[in-house]
């Protein structure tokens, strides 16, 4: 019930916020991904609204409900904002920073704090949840590679390498597959996804 209320409120807030912008936000993309990735694992759904100055993304999975608002700076090369929601039924808040100085290289930083132990109980006192630091090199429109460093609670830091291939189905649909390796857990990662972008 709590998840349903959060999702309903998030959708209501998002569309009202989008419509209140001077430059109205419009649907930018809808994405579905499944498998194990560097940051997310399982079945995920994403819906992004955007305009020239900002973006608003809703994220939904079995254990993860998020809303992310990012503002564009430096002619779109920098995006920064806030993210929050429920992670294993415990509320959290975080900050995100994205820097793309060129078309070939980008940096993603995400740090969050939560209220309680994920999957157990909610507490008033906030505690460190996670830190995700990622660097990505894009070879061309189809191939990219990334390195991700993840600190999660008191766990041993994870070092993950990943290669991603993106292909175009038609003007509106594209797909991607990413193959990675978790050097800390010594396990292979595989993720598949489909992205829909409305026509102009």
């Amino acid at each position: 019930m709590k998840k349903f209320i959060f999702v309903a409120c998030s959708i209501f807030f998002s569309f009202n916020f989008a419509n209140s912008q001077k430059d109205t936000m419009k649907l930018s993309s809808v994405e579905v991904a499944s498998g194990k990735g560097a940051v997310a694992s399982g079945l995920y759904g994403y819906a992004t609204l955007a305009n020239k100055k900002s973006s608003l993304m809703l994220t939904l999975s079995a254990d993860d409900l998020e809303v992310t608002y990012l503002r564009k700076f430096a002619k779109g090369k920098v995006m920064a904002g806030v993210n929050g929601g429920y992670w294993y039924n415990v509320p959290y808040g975080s900050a995100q920073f994205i820097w793309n100085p060129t078309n070939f290289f980008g940096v993603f930083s995400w740090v969050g704090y939560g209220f309680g132990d994920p999957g157990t109980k909610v507490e008033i006192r906030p505690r460190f949840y996670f830190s995700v630091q990622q660097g990505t090199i894009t070879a061309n429109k189809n191939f990219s590679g990334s390195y991700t460093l993840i600190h999660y609670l008191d766990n041993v830091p994870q070092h993950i390498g990943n290669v991603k291939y993106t292909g175009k189905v038609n003007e509106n649909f594209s797909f991607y597959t990413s193959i990675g390796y978790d050097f800390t857990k010594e396990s292979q990662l595989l993720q598949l996804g489909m992205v829909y972008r409305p026509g102009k």
Side-chain angles (χ1 to χ4, degrees):
M1 185 64 177
K2 179 169 58 177
K3 290 183 179 181
F4 174 78
I5 293 174
F6 179 79
V7 171
C9 290
S10 297
I11 293 173
F12 178 79
F13 164 78
S14 299
F15 281 99
N16 276 277
F17 179 80
N19 289 329
S20 69
Q21 301 295 296
K22 290 183 179 179
D23 182 8
T24 302
M25 286 185 171
K26 297 180 181 179
L27 183 66
S28 172
S29 66
V30 176
E31 178 181 344
V32 177
S34 182
K36 290 185 178 181
V39 180
S41 296
L43 181 62
Y44 269 75
Y46 308 87
T48 302
L49 304 169
N51 58 22
K52 295 179 180 179
K53 296 182 178 180
S54 57
S55 69
L56 186 69
M57 182 173 71
L58 303 177
T59 303
L60 177 63
S61 78
D63 303 305
D64 192 8
L65 304 169
E66 305 176 23
V67 177
T68 306
Y69 176 74
L70 297 174
R71 188 80 175 175
K72 299 176 183 179
F73 302 94
K75 297 181 180 179
K77 292 184 177 181
V78 174
M79 296 186 73
V82 294
N83 162 273
Y86 280 91
W87 171 250
Y88 284 95
N89 291 322
V90 175
Y92 79 93
S94 66
Q96 287 189 5
F97 175 82
I98 301 170
W99 179 42
N100 293 300
T102 70
N103 294 330
F104 307 103
F105 178 72
V107 174
F108 172 68
S109 181
W110 185 19
V111 179
Y113 283 76
F115 297 86
D117 294 320
T120 56
K121 59 181 179 178
V122 177
E123 298 177 351
I124 301 300
R125 184 174 59 185
R127 60 173 296 194
F128 170 79
Y129 261 21
F130 59 83
S131 170
V132 177
Q133 310 301 323
Q134 184 178 77
T136 301
I137 295 176
T138 302
N140 53 45
K141 62 181 180 180
N142 298 113
F143 286 97
S144 64
S146 64
Y147 163 75
T148 308
L149 172 62
I150 300 176
H151 290 82
Y152 177 65
L153 298 176
D154 298 323
N155 296 354
V156 176
Q158 289 176 258
H159 300 268
I160 299 172
N162 189 77
V163 176
K164 182 178 180 180
Y165 172 80
T166 302
K168 192 172 183 179
V169 178
N170 55 37
E171 290 186 3
N172 302 111
F173 286 92
S174 62
F175 71 93
Y176 63 85
T177 179
S178 63
I179 299 174
Y181 189 77
D182 187 329
F183 293 96
T184 304
K185 296 182 178 180
E186 298 183 345
S187 61
Q188 186 174 328
L189 308 176
L190 175 62
Q191 192 172 49
L192 303 172
M194 182 69 74
V195 181
Y196 166 76
R197 291 185 172 85
K200 294 182 179 180

